[in-house]
Amino acid sequence: MARQQRAIRTRRIFLEAAAEVFDEHGYDAATIASILERAGLTRGALYFHFTSKEELARGVLEEAVTAEGLTPQAFKLQEWVDIALLLAYRLPREPMLSAAIRLSVDPRARGLFGTRWPDWIQMGAEILTEAKARGELLPHVDPEATSRLLVGAWTGVQLVAESMAEPPDLISEISALFELILPNNAVPGVLARLDTSPHRAEHLLKESREPVAS
């Protein structure tokens, strides 16, 4: 068991090191040597888990679609909002997520590995479909199209914010995005009860990470 846990930790160290290097330098400029230096482990240990830079990139992308901090809510629309807020909060703090987005917008990496955008779109579409069945959405709303447009808008907001000389707080930008989007999607009674505060994600994550009392 101890050996298995050690192997899991070692694999994670390499993924985190690769994510940092991909995020800082891009896929093409990243090298195995720089990833090894960042990880502080041996080449043999790396090749036990990953045979190439390509496998490391795929590993980083596989880690990208997580919904840590997401908990069931009274409204499915609130869960849809929470996913986007949580990602915006975690992104500047977690190189794994940041690297996955950089790999997704890098034309060469995208051609080699694809992106995780379809997974995010599907996750959102499923939540919105349930929200519509519950009567939370206006009649004209198409869950698939709405989810796709949000993923595109979220990515665009993140890329523009990152490129500015004084980058604005991403989660505040995503909070403002929902203030524009939700009135055209949510029924008034639900809209009035949704929380799009930029502080919400931090509270959700904190609650999800607190130990459960026995």
Side-chain angles (χ1 to χ4, degrees):
M1 182 64 69
R3 180 178 298 177
Q4 182 181 11
Q5 291 300 319
R6 187 163 58 249
I8 291 171
R9 286 197 301 271
T10 299
R11 185 179 189 277
R12 185 70 185 184
I13 288 170
F14 280 124
L15 282 175
E16 290 177 350
E20 291 176 4
V21 174
F22 291 146
D23 195 33
E24 292 169 15
H25 304 291
Y27 178 75
D28 276 341
T31 64
I32 290 293
S34 60
I35 293 169
L36 285 170
E37 181 179 1
R38 187 68 58 95
L41 297 172
T42 67
R43 189 175 293 266
L46 171 65
Y47 287 134
F48 179 80
H49 295 279
F50 303 97
T51 61
S52 63
K53 185 172 76 169
E54 289 84 353
E55 278 198 6
L56 280 163
R58 288 192 174 91
V60 168
L61 285 166
E62 286 170 4
E63 294 285 328
V65 182
T66 62
E68 184 183 0
L70 184 67
T71 56
Q73 302 294 322
F75 297 113
K76 297 304 290 186
L77 265 182
Q78 184 66 67
E79 294 178 23
W80 184 58
V81 170
D82 288 348
I83 289 174
L85 292 176
L86 284 163
L87 186 58
Y89 179 80
R90 292 171 56 203
L91 184 71
R93 297 164 175 81
E94 298 181 25
M96 195 81 71
L97 292 175
S98 185
I101 289 180
R102 177 150 186 175
L103 289 170
S104 295
V105 299
D106 181 305
R108 173 168 163 72
R110 188 167 66 243
L112 289 170
F113 315 116
T115 74
R116 300 316 301 265
W117 289 328
D119 301 284
W120 286 112
I121 292 168
Q122 181 180 355
M123 184 186 299
E126 289 172 356
I127 291 174
L128 289 174
T129 297
E130 188 170 348
K132 189 165 188 177
R134 292 184 179 193
E136 298 175 20
L137 292 175
L138 295 168
H140 71 273
V141 176
D142 179 332
E144 177 75 24
T146 302
S147 180
R148 184 176 64 250
L149 288 170
L150 177 68
V151 171
W154 192 105
T155 304
V157 167
Q158 187 267 329
L159 291 174
V160 170
E162 186 182 61
S163 70
M164 299 180 72
E166 296 184 9
D169 184 34
L170 178 59
I171 195 164
S172 295
E173 296 289 282
I174 298 303
S175 174
L177 177 65
F178 274 116
E179 292 297 313
L180 294 173
I181 290 174
L182 286 172
N184 195 47
N185 288 276
V187 299
V190 172
L191 178 63
R193 297 172 65 185
L194 296 177
D195 183 358
T196 61
S197 164
H199 305 293
R200 179 174 173 80
E202 183 177 6
H203 295 315
L204 287 171
L205 271 179
K206 183 179 180 182
E207 289 175 0
S208 71
R209 291 171 177 173
E210 287 178 349
V212 178
S214 57

